[in-house]
Amino acid sequence: MERKPLISGNWKMHHNHFEAIQMVQKLSYILNPQDYEKVDVSVHPPFTDLRSIQTVIESDQMSIKLGAQNCHWEEKGAFTGEVSTAMLEKLNVSFVIVGHSERRELFGETDAEVNKKVKAVLKSGMTPIMCCGETAEEREAQKTEEKVKTQIESGLSGLKGEVVGEIVVAYEPIWAIGTGLTATPEDAQSVCGLIRETIKAKWGQASESVRIQYGGSVKSGNCPDLMRQPDIDGALVGGASLDPDEFARIVNYRLVG
Ligand code: PGA
């Protein structure tokens, strides 16, 4: 089955709204209309930038999709500092990253919370990008398979197959994030293949349409080989997405490789 690749830029806690506007304008200037026919492109700025970027995207009719980096699972309430999916939906956000390893490791997010967030994002009509991946220690202890399988099964628990088929999963080995170390294309393929198998075993057909991104020190140089792997359908890019020229080269990975 043909799956349209999704290249997503996770800006993390970088760029105020003025800088973010410049970034997205530059990116849109570099990319051509044909690029979006081959690849879906999303940018995930901090919450404070979302309204500004939404306005720029809509007024200039850009094909770049707006994404968020996190959300809360409740629609509203006494949750100081949190942002609901209903609020994101109102800003025409298309994709929400859920369960990024930095959220899990630094802010103690659990698989059960990730599952609630995935469901909230879907309920608001947006697409979750659910992250999974192992630490260096887990990898050394040969626990990658077990960890990733658990994260997938718990994170997607309670969802119907037709819904799972529409979501995005990002495999991000934690040891490769922001370190300059990338999983080899073969290693990345092997875990992304395992993710698809795990989904197939529980949700059948959904495994054919679900998009699986690789993330962890993706750059224009390593992207083509990663994207050539049969079970890798895109990239979740951190550091390299902060440079519009480099991010555009990643979007156009076919021209580099
Ligand atoms: P990186 O981050 O590309 O800087 O390694 C990826 C991510 O955390 O999504």
Side-chain angles (χ1 to χ4, degrees):
M1 180 179 205
E2 264 297 303
R3 292 179 294 267
K4 190 175 182 188
L6 169 65
I7 307 282
S8 305
N10 174 12
W11 294 359
K12 307 192 179 180
M13 200 169 72
H14 294 282
H15 297 322
N16 61 41
H17 69 289
F18 292 118
E19 295 161 334
I21 289 170
Q22 286 181 346
M23 287 281 300
V24 86
Q25 280 172 333
K26 184 148 189 225
L27 181 63
S28 152
Y29 181 75
I30 305 168
L31 294 175
N32 297 310
Q34 307 87 272
D35 297 335
Y36 304 104
E37 282 163 27
K38 297 186 206 117
V39 176
D40 286 333
V41 180
S42 66
V43 293
H44 300 247
F47 286 137
T48 52
D49 303 352
L50 286 175
R51 175 64 178 150
S52 310
I53 300 291
Q54 178 209 4
T55 309
V56 172
I57 287 180
E58 288 174 8
S59 61
D60 292 356
Q61 299 185 331
M62 295 176 183
S63 302
I64 297 168
K65 303 256 195 282
L66 187 57
Q69 299 176 15
N70 185 28
C71 64
H72 195 269
W73 56 86
E74 294 288 347
E75 218 167 290
K76 58 181 162 198
F79 303 102
T80 302
E82 294 292 329
V83 170
S84 76
T85 56
M87 293 165 184
L88 297 176
E89 182 199 356
K90 270 274 179 260
L91 295 167
N92 289 347
V93 164
S94 304
F95 295 96
V96 184
I97 298 171
V98 174
H100 188 279
S101 62
E102 284 152 18
R103 303 278 342 150
R104 294 177 188 261
E105 304 271 306
L106 304 174
F107 301 97
E109 238 172 61
T110 63
D111 282 337
E113 287 170 348
V114 170
N115 181 240
K116 286 198 267 189
K117 290 184 180 197
V118 166
K119 286 176 177 159
V121 171
L122 287 165
K123 196 169 162 219
S124 292
M126 301 177 290
T127 303
I129 298 180
M130 192 188 81
C131 303
C132 61
E134 81 286 3
T135 63
E137 296 74 44
E138 287 161 344
R139 179 178 158 82
E140 258 158 52
Q142 314 210 319
K143 294 223 163 100
T144 302
E145 202 165 303
E146 187 188 320
K147 168 87 178 280
V148 169
K149 240 178 133 194
T150 308
Q151 285 180 321
I152 296 292
E153 286 174 353
S154 336
L156 303 182
S157 162
L159 297 182
K160 294 213 172 82
E162 62 257 38
V163 176
V164 173
E166 297 294 312
I167 68 154
V168 181
V169 172
Y171 168 55
E172 298 206 301
I174 297 170
W175 49 270
I177 296 178
T179 56
L181 300 170
T182 323
T184 63
E186 295 71 29
D187 281 349
Q189 162 57 31
S190 131
V191 182
C192 291
L194 165 84
I195 292 170
R196 206 175 295 287
E197 280 308 308
T198 306
I199 291 176
K200 189 172 179 187
K202 280 221 153 195
W203 293 278
Q205 283 258 326
S207 64
E208 286 171 37
S209 54
V210 65
R211 290 190 283 187
I212 303 176
Q213 295 178 313
Y214 169 79
S217 300
V218 172
K219 306 214 165 25
S220 58
N222 57 28
C223 190
D225 280 345
L226 289 160
M227 290 300 295
R228 235 172 254 133
Q229 304 304 315
D231 287 306
I232 299 182
D233 312 311
L236 182 53
V237 186
S241 72
L242 297 174
D243 172 358
D245 289 302
E246 173 66 354
F247 188 60
R249 282 194 288 273
I250 294 173
V251 170
N252 281 314
Y253 63 90
R254 285 187 182 82
L255 306 178
V256 183

